[in-house]
Amino acid sequence: VLLKLERQDEAQALANELEAVALSTTRTAPPGDASNMDENALTFLSQYYKDLRQYDKVVNLYEAACKREPNSEELHCSLFMA
């Protein structure tokens, strides 16, 4: 939404914050593993990368999420769509 409103700086700042959370060691996944993200962060970043047409990053996000929750049909469908 921020990109569509031409507020690129704000969108980039939010994306940077979410990536910083993903890099933190506060969860069980190792630092830098995208599976650290919760569903809201995953949704935001995937939409952000789609808007920027960086589809490979969307695929990477959903691959990591599927590793975290291998029985999630929803995540596997999202990975397929990515």
Side-chain angles (χ1 to χ4, degrees):
V1 173
L2 290 174
L3 289 175
K4 292 177 183 177
L5 295 173
E6 297 184 13
R7 295 166 62 180
Q8 289 87 356
D9 293 338
E10 291 175 66
Q12 181 63 46
L14 284 173
N16 290 341
E17 287 180 38
L18 286 173
E19 289 176 339
V21 168
L23 294 174
S24 73
T25 57
T26 57
R27 296 195 181 207
T28 58
D33 186 339
S35 66
N36 268 336
M37 289 185 217
D38 67 8
E39 187 176 338
N40 292 328
L42 181 64
T43 300
F44 169 79
L45 276 178
S46 65
Q47 186 59 51
Y48 176 71
Y49 290 137
K50 285 176 188 177
D51 289 346
L52 293 176
R53 300 189 192 298
Q54 295 179 351
Y55 303 113
D56 59 322
K57 291 184 179 183
V58 177
V59 171
N60 292 337
L61 288 172
Y62 281 110
E63 283 177 340
C66 286
K67 287 179 186 175
R68 182 186 70 222
E69 296 181 40
N71 296 325
S72 172
E73 183 179 342
E74 181 179 343
L75 289 175
H76 281 87
C77 287
S78 294
L79 174 59
F80 174 78
M81 296 302 288

